[in-house]
Amino acid sequence: MSQHLSDAPRSAAAPAADAGHRDWWRDAVIYQVYPRSFADGNGDGMGDLPGVTARLPYLRDLGVDAVWLSPFYASPQADAGYDVADYREVDPMFGDLNDADDLVRTAHALNLRVIVDLVPNHCSDQHEWFKQALRDGPGSALRERFHFRPGKGAGGELPPNDWESIFGGPAWTRTTDPDGTPGEWYLHLFAPEQPDFNWDHPAVHDEFRSVLRFWLDLGTDGFRIDVAHGLVKAAGLPDIGHSEQLSLLGSAPMPYFDQDGVHEIYRGWRRILDEYPGDRIGVAEAWTPTIERAALYLRPDELHQAFNFEYLGTPWDAAALRRVIDKSLAAMGAVGAPATWVLSNHDVTRHTTRFGNPSSALPGGASTGGSLQLREAGDRELGLRRARAATLLMLALPGSAYLYQGEELGLPDVTDLPDEVRQDPSFFRAAGQDGFRDGCRVPIPWSGAEPPYGFGPAGGPSWLPQPATWAELSVEAQTGDPASTLELYRAALALRRELPALGAGRSVQWLDTPEGVLAFRRDGDGDGFLCLVNLTATPVVLTVPGGRPLLASSAQPPATAGPSDQVDGIDVTIAADTAIWWAI
Ligand code: GLC
């Protein structure tokens, strides 16, 4: 399948950015670990922190700079840990604080940085504050830390406003008063088990400043901030007036998202991050209506990065990709922030599967709103081929890239999970936005011929069943096979470290190309780099000004395989749905 077109070093021997490297995040590759599904150290079927720690050398060798861990805090797991009951405790299913400490220390010893998830929009209904608020009843001080309201209607039987939960159904749940009678309602933008904090309350601010310090003191290098655009709600919690609210990624302004008041919170957090040595960062999960609105979170006194969800939602289409790339670079450049790129995460269908479906099957991109979930397996071979090309495109762009665990193995989404094993809370709420997120959360295969494929001890369980076909996708099966997706990632990440042209601050110059083809140049100090991507279904020929091939996402016609140093005007044939990295 793939062909490494040069003898460029492929080992990832190069260490991660050294600990003192300022601005390390500006061109970092950050790998998302979903702790439930990465590695199970104790054999209970659920991934855990010791499992992650044991596998950190794999990530160092893969060649990433940092790890972002999805939540591992004390939680009843109503939303896979995004419902936090105690922000300063590790859930026993994942280990304890000593394990977190070990993980951070081990990562640092391997020159990997560690970013943890912070969930400030809502907590768990099992959080002490919320339990106490329920016990204390209407008018109590603790209730002011959440959004409690009397209902509408004669008996308060209707929700206080018309907001809908992202997971489906009303965004309000009615409580029962201590005396057993129906009482007030509380706001939850997500599941009922995830009450929203009231960020107008100073105690909420104080608490999160303290939580930030807790994890910074433990040595973490920063935070991925969950639902960063949701903390502040429009004053008076006004009705929306229609019911097309269900998308996280919509283009219409909503009174519960992207309110200007959030920025003051992040200015305060930035001051705390800056008090600590070593360039600690904040990354916004902000599903804003436009990339320009996302850039506001990255003004010099706010956060460092924001996920580029518009890029994630862009179909396999040259013109659309070029548009979103240009727009992202311009918007982020305007505030002095690096652009970021991401193709997959724990909330969306893996890109191998998205790209194997007709792009019309992707319900909406960032601009139109809508879910990024798909239920069809699609054309696996086509999807993987495009996914590999998409990875080389992404890793050649200026800025920081996010990888989601398992994408380096080319894992598809598991689209045929039986309903009875599903845990995604939105699956159980009719008309919810997502519902099928478990498909990208299946534990990843490491080795062996049978489940759990080294995820945990042989013969042990896994919290979601792994497909019978995953033996050939395991780390063990792919290691050393130059045609494998894993070796493609290793080679690409090693080159990315080596080539000055791919570093931070090096711009992109587009070259003229036929329709369906993207080509851009980046220049280092005296070295030039080309990324050539054919997004069409037939081979195309591009003429490049000499140089030599470095890496290709799929096998190339023999005519282009030979390195041709110093020859001017080489015709390069690029196979269908293929990206080539080229040195000049
Ligand atoms: C974010 C998380 C998602 C979670 C939601 C509620 O979007 O990525 O997994 O369900 O927030 O916390």
Side-chain angles (χ1 to χ4, degrees):
M1 289 239 299
S2 85
Q3 190 166 333
H4 298 294
L5 294 168
S6 80
D7 52 4
R10 289 222 298 283
S11 88
D18 63 280
H21 172 38
R22 295 288 302 171
D23 284 357
W24 63 272
W25 44 277
R26 287 189 174 273
D27 56 3
V29 176
I30 301 176
Y31 182 100
Q32 179 185 359
V33 166
Y34 195 66
R36 294 177 144 240
S37 304
F38 190 66
D40 173 13
N42 64 3
D44 64 356
M46 181 64 71
D48 46 44
L49 296 186
V52 178
T53 304
R55 298 288 190 180
L56 287 173
Y58 164 78
L59 296 179
R60 189 264 325 267
D61 293 345
L62 181 61
V64 302
D65 301 291
V67 176
W68 147 37
L69 295 151
S70 280
F72 49 78
Y73 314 111
S75 163
Q77 305 288 319
D79 184 20
Y82 283 95
D83 48 319
V84 181
D86 186 340
Y87 289 85
R88 296 177 188 78
E89 270 304 340
V90 173
D91 195 280
M93 79 167 39
F94 296 122
D96 59 25
L97 277 174
N98 285 326
D99 296 322
D101 190 52
D102 266 4
L103 191 159
V104 173
R105 282 171 200 277
T106 308
H108 287 171
L110 294 168
N111 266 329
L112 291 167
R113 289 184 168 81
V114 180
I115 292 169
V116 293
D117 221 304
L118 186 73
V119 190
N121 179 68
H122 46 263
C123 57
S124 159
D125 63 353
Q126 297 307 304
H127 189 282
E128 272 314 316
W129 286 7
F130 190 75
K131 288 199 292 187
Q132 190 66 40
L134 286 185
R135 283 194 294 266
D136 290 354
S140 65
L142 264 294
R143 287 211 175 189
E144 286 169 16
R145 299 180 186 185
F146 299 91
H147 296 281
F148 280 91
R149 295 282 185 285
K152 286 183 175 166
E157 70 283 5
L158 298 171
N161 73 17
D162 66 359
W163 297 2
E164 292 168 5
S165 152
I166 307 298
F167 290 161
W172 295 90
T173 290
R174 194 166 196 187
T175 61
T176 303
D177 278 341
D179 67 4
T181 57
E184 291 183 326
W185 299 67
Y186 68 90
L187 177 69
H188 51 86
L189 291 184
F190 294 88
E193 296 87 351
Q194 294 168 294
D196 279 50
F197 282 115
N198 171 16
W199 275 88
D200 289 331
H201 199 292
V204 175
H205 288 254
D206 289 348
E207 171 66 359
F208 275 91
R209 282 192 289 254
S210 155
V211 169
L212 283 175
R213 289 183 193 285
F214 180 87
W215 290 101
L216 290 169
D217 288 341
L218 196 117
T220 62
D221 299 283
F223 302 92
R224 176 263 189 191
I225 299 156
D226 189 65
V227 197
H229 56 315
L231 278 49
V232 172
K233 275 73 178 174
L237 311 183
D239 278 337
I240 292 166
H242 59 83
S243 65
E244 282 167 16
Q245 308 169 29
L246 285 170
S247 70
L248 199 54
L249 183 53
S251 50
M254 290 293 165
Y256 45 76
F257 279 158
D258 197 31
Q259 301 293 305
D260 289 332
V262 291
H263 296 289
E264 205 42 48
I265 298 171
Y266 300 127
R267 289 194 189 100
W269 290 8
R270 177 59 179 262
R271 289 193 289 274
I272 295 176
L273 292 168
D274 285 349
E275 280 171 26
Y276 284 79
D279 251 8
R280 318 280 176 115
I281 68 167
V283 184
E285 188 219 16
W287 298 80
T288 54
T290 62
I291 289 182
E292 290 74 16
R293 291 288 305 180
L296 296 179
Y297 292 72
L298 309 181
R299 286 173 286 191
D301 59 346
E302 295 192 40
L303 301 172
H304 299 73
Q305 294 185 347
F307 292 101
N308 192 339
F309 292 122
E310 191 158 337
Y311 186 74
L312 185 153
T314 304
W316 188 238
D317 174 276
L321 280 165
R322 181 168 167 171
R323 244 188 334 268
V324 70
I325 291 167
D326 281 340
K327 207 159 65 157
S328 309
L329 292 171
M332 299 306 156
V335 292
T340 67
W341 316 101
V342 59
L343 292 166
S344 281
N345 64 33
H346 66 292
D347 289 329
V348 300
T349 304
R350 286 182 177 276
H351 59 278
T352 297
T353 300
R354 296 204 309 274
F355 291 150
N357 277 281
S359 55
S360 57
L362 183 69
S367 49
T368 57
S371 163
L372 291 167
Q373 293 298 314
L374 289 174
R375 287 163 218 179
E376 284 87 43
D379 179 337
R380 290 246 164 113
E381 205 181 310
L382 178 69
L384 181 58
R385 189 178 175 87
R386 289 177 172 175
R388 292 164 56 105
T391 296
L392 289 198
L393 167 60
M394 172 171 87
L395 292 176
L397 292 170
S400 185
Y402 282 81
L403 308 180
Y404 175 52
Q405 66 177 41
E407 72 169 77
E408 78 277 21
L409 305 175
L411 295 188
D413 233 59
V414 181
T415 48
D416 57 358
L417 283 173
D419 288 356
E420 54 287 3
V421 303
R422 291 186 183 277
Q423 297 199 11
D424 181 352
S426 54
F427 178 76
F428 303 98
R429 292 173 69 83
Q433 126 147 352
D434 293 318
F436 291 88
R437 297 181 299 173
D438 289 313
C440 64
R441 299 174 176 180
V442 172
I444 66 173
W446 292 91
S447 58
E450 281 164 20
Y453 305 115
F455 163 67
S462 67
W463 71 278
L464 284 174
Q466 300 160 299
T469 52
W470 275 16
E472 64 191 37
L473 295 176
S474 75
V475 170
E476 181 185 59
Q478 296 196 39
T479 294
D481 172 2
S484 73
T485 302
L486 177 57
E487 293 297 349
L488 179 73
Y489 271 74
R490 286 177 172 156
L493 291 168
L495 282 170
R496 189 181 149 102
R497 270 170 199 280
E498 272 161 36
L499 298 173
L502 293 184
R506 311 286 183 169
S507 62
V508 159
Q509 298 153 251
W510 294 105
L511 309 180
D512 286 340
T513 42
E515 206 182 316
V517 179
L518 292 175
F520 59 85
R521 180 179 174 132
R522 298 185 65 195
D523 286 303
D525 300 316
D527 67 320
F529 169 91
L530 294 179
C531 179
L532 315 170
V533 194
N534 176 8
L535 294 96
T536 73
T538 48
V540 293
V541 179
L542 290 186
T543 305
V544 302
R548 67 195 170 91
L550 294 167
L551 190 61
S553 65
S554 64
Q556 293 304 294
T560 64
S564 316
D565 263 324
Q566 311 307 329
V567 182
D568 272 4
I570 302 175
D571 284 344
V572 182
T573 303
I574 316 171
D577 292 311
T578 293
I580 298 182
W581 283 8
W582 189 274
I584 13 176

